[in-house]
Amino acid sequence: MKRLLLALLVACAAPASAQTLRIGMKAAVDGSDPHQSYSPNRNVQMHVYESLVNQDQYLQPLPGLAESWRVIDDTTWEFRLREGVTFHDGTPLTAADIAFSLRRAADARGLRTYSPQLRSFAAVEEVDARTVRIRTRGPAPLLHVNLTTIMIVSAAAVGATATEEDFNGGRAAVGTGPYRWVRFTPGSDVTLERAPRHWREPEPWQRVVFRFIPNDSARVSALLAGDVDVVDAVPPALYGRVRSDQRSRLHTATSAFNLYMYIDSGRERSPFVAGIDGQPLDRNPLQDRRVRLALSHAINRAALAERAMEGGAEAAGQIAPQGFMGHVPGLAIPAFDPARARALLAEAGYPNGFGLTIHCTSDRFAGDSRTCQAVGQMLTAIGIRTEVEAIPSSIFFRRANRAPAAGGPEFSVSMSMFASTTGAASEGMNNILRTYNPALSHGPANRGRYSDTVLDGLLGQIEGAMDDAQREALTRQAVRRVMEEAAIVPAFFVRSGWGTARNLTLIPRGDQYTMATGIRVAR
């Protein structure tokens, strides 16, 4: 009897290291090369690979593989690596691996790379085994912030010939993270195991399995049935189900993801704009600031957040939410004012409005299609006869990001989410609003081809402002300029929802990632 009691006590005291953490993900991973940008991939990759600089839950920079850094002059940064860091194959991390990874990421090609974050990168020098110096093309005050997106790989494992298959199969997927890559089953799951050694304390989870469950109800049902321990992207309609069940716990937080109305202000004629008679217009009304402001005042952001999104959003009137870099305190959300919107249309020469088709995703997040329909009704109410086309994300982004050789972005007005990977408002504006210039990595996601020399000038100054206070003041000035010109029309910040087993705690992140490193057994 004593032996049995002792065995039970030992079993109860067994560390969590013997456990497997099962995470149900809405979006599927499609690759493991960390220098190809895609949010679901990055979510998993951040367990396997690490950056010189890490991020906290608000995406603020923290020491990572670099224990410290300093600015030597306006174009030279020095990073000091942690001592004793090894890759999963046991080889030590050195400055050569940092240099290799930076060059590889800078040279990456395709639609999904981190080139905007490395647009200032010029060269890297290996000072010694634990020290690298990065030289930039000009002052780059946010270099350390941008480096949070660049994962460090093993130069020996990757080399010059590693393919996507080499990463997916594990041969090249060698990082320094707390977990190592074990198995990837496309369309099904990814399995990770705790690394044999890591510079931080060992993680409690021996194994982490990411299962891809795109259907919201099925994902939540899997949690309540005990088939998974954590689920992401819980839609607001299912908050009550997770919250009320004794087996589960709900976690929510405002994310950095902003639903914008992207406006085609770059073309003289826009393909989905027509006169009230249905005939093409000689000029694009969306180029007129007054028309763009009318669109903004026509939208009832609070109603969208509370009704269309069922409480799963927070009305937005700027680029970044509170707590994130570049948030402007006190900046008012544009008023819902249909009368003002109609007056602006009349002032711009469209007293009877015009015809418009808006495009949006139908499966990007819970409520996207419903929100788009509601916006269409709001625009119609001020005289803009609006049709709505909600389409699958795979089709939407292909059309929205159409290459310049094929005529550029297709839509006149579209609605989709965007968040800077770094969480910085200035980086978000560089991506979606700076005058499109692929050679400089300016405006890679500028789907409306918006161009404003004043905003471009401010963003250029921000890039060169090494003084933190000056850079923050310039960023706030740029955000105000965007809102004054209605360059885009922010609608709301999406709230993130996670469900966990009742005995688990979770740290919500602004990038909506589900990190095993932030999940623990409740004490």
Side-chain angles (χ1 to χ4, degrees):
M1 182 67 182
K2 289 183 178 180
R3 289 181 179 178
L4 175 60
L5 179 60
L6 178 60
L8 289 173
L9 289 173
V10 170
C12 291
S17 60
Q19 297 180 2
T20 294
L21 181 69
R22 302 161 301 170
I23 299 173
M25 289 182 70
K26 179 179 179 66
V29 168
D30 67 5
S32 63
D33 184 338
H35 297 153
Q36 295 293 320
S37 172
Y38 179 52
S39 290
N41 293 359
R42 177 172 162 79
N43 186 163
V44 175
Q45 290 162 2
M46 286 171 64
H47 294 77
V48 177
Y49 310 96
E50 295 175 297
S51 303
L52 283 172
V53 184
N54 284 345
Q55 294 171 309
D56 67 11
Q57 67 199 83
Y58 297 105
L59 311 188
Q60 301 282 357
L62 297 170
L65 291 178
E67 63 182 11
S68 63
W69 54 84
R70 66 189 181 104
V71 178
I72 295 179
D73 56 47
D74 283 359
T75 60
T76 309
W77 289 62
E78 185 174 273
F79 292 81
R80 183 68 173 167
L81 304 184
R82 293 183 184 277
E83 188 172 6
V85 177
T86 61
F87 286 101
H88 298 152
D89 60 5
T91 60
L93 169 75
T94 69
D97 297 297
I98 306 299
F100 172 84
S101 298
L102 291 175
R103 292 174 184 134
R104 184 177 188 272
D107 291 340
R109 294 294 177 265
L111 293 176
R112 302 186 327 206
T113 71
Y114 293 98
S115 60
Q117 283 73 44
L118 287 172
R119 63 187 181 278
S120 66
F121 174 78
V124 57
E125 172 191 352
E126 303 165 33
V127 178
D128 57 44
R130 289 183 54 207
T131 309
V132 294
R133 284 183 182 165
I134 300 175
R135 305 193 186 279
T136 59
R137 295 187 176 91
L142 292 179
L143 178 66
H144 64 308
V145 174
N146 287 325
L147 288 179
T148 62
T149 66
I150 310 303
M151 299 294 175
I152 304 304
V153 299
S154 163
V158 174
T161 60
T163 64
E164 184 69 23
E165 289 71 25
D166 291 325
F167 278 96
N168 292 346
R171 186 193 70 77
V174 180
T176 62
Y179 293 94
R180 65 182 186 87
W181 188 268
V182 175
R183 185 182 68 250
F184 170 43
T185 306
S188 178
D189 55 60
V190 171
T191 298
L192 311 177
E193 286 186 355
R194 188 175 57 203
R197 60 188 68 81
H198 192 254
W199 54 271
R200 289 192 302 238
E201 291 184 1
E203 284 293 303
W205 312 111
Q206 177 68 31
R207 175 171 290 201
V208 178
V209 178
F210 290 89
R211 285 178 51 194
F212 313 141
I213 312 175
N215 182 274
D216 294 332
S217 294
R219 198 166 58 260
V220 170
S221 294
L223 171 69
L224 301 184
D227 295 332
V228 295
D229 306 299
V230 180
V231 294
D232 70 357
V234 177
L238 296 177
Y239 280 3
R241 187 179 174 194
V242 175
R243 187 186 287 118
S244 62
D245 197 292
Q246 294 184 349
R247 297 165 293 182
S248 58
R249 179 180 299 185
L250 180 70
H251 311 259
T252 64
T254 299
S255 76
F257 282 88
N258 199 335
L259 181 75
Y260 295 113
M261 182 183 293
Y262 292 81
I263 303 171
D264 177 15
S265 58
R267 290 179 282 198
E268 293 298 323
R269 293 188 179 185
S270 197
F272 291 97
V273 175
I276 56 175
D277 58 359
Q279 298 301 308
L281 294 174
D282 291 336
R283 61 190 176 94
N284 178 7
L286 302 173
Q287 291 186 316
D288 193 311
R289 171 179 176 270
R290 294 166 294 187
V291 172
R292 299 195 302 271
L293 286 171
L295 298 180
S296 184
H297 286 300
I299 296 177
N300 188 336
R301 292 166 170 83
L304 293 175
E306 291 302 318
R307 298 175 196 166
M309 288 295 291
E310 301 180 293
E314 176 184 321
Q318 55 178 300
I319 307 297
Q322 186 174 357
F324 292 80
M325 288 181 285
H327 174 79
V328 182
L331 182 60
I333 296 173
F336 171 52
D337 190 343
R340 175 62 177 153
R342 286 189 289 269
L344 284 164
L345 286 177
E347 185 181 326
Y350 303 95
N352 298 316
F354 52 87
L356 173 68
T357 299
I358 60 176
H359 294 79
C360 59
T361 59
S362 61
D363 57 0
R364 176 68 177 85
F365 60 94
D368 52 1
S369 181
R370 187 168 55 245
T371 295
C372 204
Q373 294 291 344
V375 169
Q377 294 170 11
M378 293 171 184
L379 297 184
T380 297
I382 66 165
I384 300 177
R385 295 161 178 78
T386 307
E387 295 184 6
V388 172
E389 186 177 346
I391 53 182
S393 298
S394 58
I395 299 173
F396 175 92
F397 288 110
R398 186 167 63 247
R399 293 171 65 182
N401 298 328
R402 192 170 58 172
E410 182 176 340
F411 306 137
S412 294
V413 171
S414 63
M415 300 191 71
S416 66
M417 288 197 308
F418 182 86
S420 167
T421 309
T422 65
S426 58
E427 285 303 299
M429 290 183 285
N430 179 78
N431 273 278
I432 65 177
L433 288 169
R434 200 167 187 176
T435 297
Y436 181 71
N437 187 333
L440 298 176
S441 294
H442 293 171
N446 185 346
R447 297 177 189 141
R449 293 299 188 260
Y450 180 77
S451 182
D452 176 16
T453 56
V454 175
L455 179 62
D456 289 347
L458 288 169
L459 293 174
Q461 291 181 65
I462 291 167
E463 285 186 327
M466 301 300 290
D467 179 78
D468 292 344
Q470 180 191 13
R471 187 171 62 256
E472 183 65 19
L474 288 167
T475 299
R476 293 181 179 184
Q477 188 178 345
V479 171
R480 291 183 182 277
R481 174 73 180 183
V482 167
M483 296 308 299
E484 289 167 358
E485 294 295 313
I488 52 173
V489 177
F492 51 67
F493 298 111
V494 177
R495 289 188 65 80
S496 304
W498 293 265
T500 69
R502 174 65 68 175
N503 68 328
L504 297 180
T505 63
L506 177 146
I507 300 175
R509 288 177 56 96
D511 51 18
Q512 299 185 325
Y513 292 159
T514 306
M515 298 297 296
T517 52
I519 299 171
R520 294 291 185 266
V521 175
R523 295 184 179 277

